[in-house]
Amino acid sequence: MKQGILVCGAGIVGLATALALARRKQPVTVLAPAAAVPPAPAEHYAPRVYALSPASQRFLAALGIWDALPAARIAPVDTMEIHGDADGSVTLDAWQAAQPHLAWIVEAAEIERVLAQAVRLSGIPWIADRCAGFQAGAVLTENGAQLRTDLAIGADGAGSPLRSAAGLKQHSTPYGQVGLVSHLDAALPHHGAAMQWFHDEGVLALLPLPGTARGPQVSMVWSAPSARAQALQALPADAQADAVAAHLAAVTQGRLGTLRMNIGLHGFPLFLEHGPMTAPGVALVGDAAHRVHPLAGQGLNLGLGDAETLATIVAGREPYRSAGDPRVLRRYQRARAEPVLAMRLATDGLHKLFTSRAAPAAWLRNAGMRWVDAVPVFKRLLIEQASGR
């Protein structure tokens, strides 16, 4: 039996793609292992969280997902503080662009759980298997099935088997950094502020989370040099907690008072990856298509932009074209080329600017931050740019 459109992968972007297509009356099937995501225990927050932009929030709301997320587990971001490695700093407030919030911090597991429920309630067929190959308009699965399809969508992550099988080459550059994540108990309230510091040992971000019975809580994302990250991860739990607390105190200068980890330290290597997003009968979305440095927190927002754009273009094609028609796929490639390139250049450029030890670069980055902070119109433009994808 031929599948109309087959989405390979059931992460956030894959499920959102399938649901967006189904909402637009497109025949779609999900190919991925079936894994239920149970509701999280009260006051226990999953390590990986995302900062959803207003554009992503609107997309999830249009899918009927946003209101299904537990409001008590979402933390709105009203202010963003960005600190340079000298005296440069920028503060962005939602009111400066007449927006209710700059972003929302949500656990990855909660988004995935609600999306999976919505996909099943929508009656979207789900094949509990994995993509193992692709040839002549058919996806080959690990269990030996051959699924013929008009369009195979690779939403199967950074190591995408579908991308490899379709012959799409990915340009991958390691940053020599590890993203260290944990949640922290804070002595002082965050008041809905996301904070970021550029310093000698990478980029440190503290994202607001809902408080617990212990008090205020934030999520840490530290893009640390690989050697430093590996040394920290190798420490016993108590020594690790002390070392992280000492680093936080030195970098944040007590902005939130004493900070202590309340869950373990998790790490993932950082890469810059990009390449073609389409091949005959294949389209890529999310991490299968691109990865950027997390310093701007835009990876998932880019992926959700892929999902929304692909669903809109496929559903709006001429009646005589199939979902995998080369012209339809070219429209998708062109539509995503500019936003993906712009985000790649911005994040990679900032990374290079702030990792340079040369005196002119140090002066430029901090002077630039002071200048932007003093000009309201540029701050508004920054906020408006970050609100889209």
Side-chain angles (χ1 to χ4, degrees):
M1 179 179 177
K2 189 172 186 177
Q3 314 296 322
I5 303 170
L6 189 66
V7 176
C8 302
I12 293 172
V13 175
L15 293 173
T17 303
L19 197 58
L21 286 164
R23 293 279 194 266
R24 290 164 173 80
K25 311 300 183 185
Q26 301 301 301
V28 60
T29 298
V30 172
L31 173 67
V37 182
E43 299 205 346
H44 174 81
Y45 290 79
R48 178 156 286 193
V49 300
Y50 288 113
L52 293 177
S53 69
S56 292
Q57 187 270 340
R58 290 191 295 270
F59 177 44
L60 294 180
L63 293 180
I65 294 304
W66 185 254
D67 288 340
L69 290 166
R73 301 186 72 90
I74 299 174
V77 177
D78 300 317
T79 304
M80 178 171 287
E81 301 174 10
I82 307 168
H83 302 273
D85 52 351
D87 58 349
S89 67
V90 177
T91 300
L92 305 174
D93 291 289
W95 62 265
Q96 291 170 322
Q99 294 187 7
H101 305 291
L102 295 175
W104 292 261
I105 308 302
V106 191
E107 297 158 276
E110 285 299 301
I111 306 173
E112 198 170 310
R113 179 178 65 82
V114 174
L115 276 169
Q117 289 177 345
V119 164
R120 294 188 184 283
L121 287 173
S122 297
I124 297 172
W126 190 311
I127 300 172
D129 204 343
R130 283 190 175 90
C131 170
F134 180 81
Q135 61 183 31
V139 172
L140 312 178
T141 77
E142 288 186 349
N143 290 335
Q146 188 175 58
L147 306 174
R148 294 189 301 116
T149 180
D150 291 328
L151 174 62
I153 298 176
D156 43 354
S160 172
L162 179 59
R163 183 186 68 216
S164 298
L168 287 167
K169 301 299 182 184
Q170 195 83 336
H171 303 281
S172 181
T173 305
Y175 276 114
Q177 293 181 326
V178 172
L180 295 175
V181 298
S182 185
H183 297 333
L184 316 168
D185 289 330
L188 301 175
H190 51 66
H191 296 301
M195 306 162 201
Q196 192 170 48
W197 288 264
F198 292 87
H199 58 97
D200 289 345
E201 290 191 295
V203 184
L204 173 70
L206 299 181
L207 308 175
L209 286 178
T212 70
R214 300 181 303 275
Q217 181 185 208
V218 293
S219 180
M220 177 190 80
V221 183
W222 174 13
S223 303
S226 296
R228 175 80 156 115
Q230 291 162 7
L232 280 171
Q233 290 177 292
L235 291 174
D238 288 346
Q240 184 184 85
D242 290 342
V244 170
H247 176 77
L248 292 168
V251 173
T252 67
Q253 296 292 298
R255 173 64 180 81
L256 291 176
T258 302
L259 295 163
R260 297 289 298 186
M261 293 195 304
N262 61 43
I263 64 171
L265 192 65
H266 301 264
F268 52 95
L270 303 183
F271 292 86
L272 175 67
E273 294 185 341
H274 61 96
M277 296 179 66
T278 63
V282 173
L284 303 179
V285 294
D287 283 356
H290 43 67
R291 283 201 288 177
V292 296
H293 198 285
L295 61 84
Q298 292 296 317
L300 178 61
N301 293 318
L302 271 183
L304 291 175
D306 297 340
E308 185 174 22
T309 301
L310 181 59
T312 300
I313 287 173
V314 167
R317 72 189 187 276
E318 297 87 347
Y320 56 85
R321 297 190 190 280
S322 71
D325 185 285
R327 186 162 296 187
V328 174
L329 296 183
R330 282 198 298 272
R331 291 169 188 166
Y332 170 62
Q333 178 79 43
R334 286 196 302 268
R336 294 309 291 159
E338 182 179 347
V340 171
L341 176 62
M343 187 57 65
R344 186 172 82 237
L345 293 177
T347 55
D348 191 52
L350 282 171
H351 165 75
K352 289 175 179 173
L353 179 63
F354 278 91
T355 52
S356 173
R357 297 296 101 203
W363 177 87
L364 176 64
R365 59 193 176 228
N366 288 283
M369 294 176 79
R370 292 194 300 271
W371 180 67
V372 169
D373 198 51
V375 183
V377 66
F378 285 109
K379 296 168 78 169
R380 185 171 67 251
L381 288 172
L382 276 175
I383 294 169
E384 291 172 354
Q385 183 66 29
S387 297
R389 41 168 190 261

